[in-house]
């Protein structure tokens, strides 16, 4: 079953990185996921200042603003989609993720399978 791991950083340093994780930590985790043969896809997101938010009013009017302007210090830093047998295995991989450390979190969500609906 496929699960998406949404990796949230608890805080960022001056360079936009998560101070609790080193590049070596991320490279080791990436290697472990690849070596286990469970990686479906994954990406790290660009700096938060490059984000754009789109909202559509009930009247259908589009508003575009720079950034997400979240009221929290936590930010989405990237994601992985893994293919593992069950939720417990996905939770184990999420717990190993460097992004889950020191105030960060990894949200684990099953990927919906609409194959049965594909007329």
């Amino acid at each position: 079953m496929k699960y998406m791991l949404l990796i949230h950083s608890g805080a960022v340093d001056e360079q936009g990185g998560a101070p609790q994780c080193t590049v070596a930590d991320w490279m080791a985790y990436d290697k472990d996921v690849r070596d286990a043969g469970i990686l479906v896809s994954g990406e790290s997101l660009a700096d938060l200042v490059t984000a754009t938010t789109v909202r559509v009013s009930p009247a259908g009017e589009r508003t575009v603003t720079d950034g997400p302007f979240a009221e929290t210090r936590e930010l989405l830093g990237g994601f992985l989609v893994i293919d593992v047998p069950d939720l417990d295995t996905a939770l184990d991989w999420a717990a190993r993720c460097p992004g889950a450390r020191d105030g960060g979190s990894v949200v684990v969500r099953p990927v919906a399978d609409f194959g049965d609906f594909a007329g």
Side-chain angles (χ1 to χ4, degrees), residues 58-114:
E61 296 175 17
R62 181 178 80 171
T63 303
V64 179
T65 56
D66 290 337
F69 299 109
E71 295 297 322
T72 178
R73 298 279 303 153
E74 185 176 89
L75 59 98
L76 178 62
F79 72 92
L80 289 176
V81 177
I82 58 174
D83 194 350
V84 294
D86 53 40
L87 176 60
D88 287 335
T89 305
L91 295 175
D92 288 342
W93 280 101
R96 293 173 62 178
C97 180
R101 300 179 195 155
D102 299 323
S105 65
V106 177
V107 176
V108 178
R109 294 187 58 183
V111 174
D113 180 4
F114 294 111

Side-chain angles (χ1 to χ4, degrees), residues 11 13 18 20 23 25 47-49 58 68 72-73 95 99 103 110 113 115-116:
D13 59 22
Q20 70 274 17
V23 171
D25 292 336
D47 192 327
L48 187 61
V49 299
T72 178
R73 298 279 303 153
D113 180 4
D116 295 338

Side-chain angles (χ1 to χ4, degrees), residues 4 7 12-13 27 31 34 38 47 62 64 114 119:
M4 177 172 272
I7 304 164
V12 294
D13 59 22
M27 290 178 69
K31 181 179 182 326
R34 289 176 190 278
I38 62 170
D47 192 327
R62 181 178 80 171
V64 179
F114 294 111

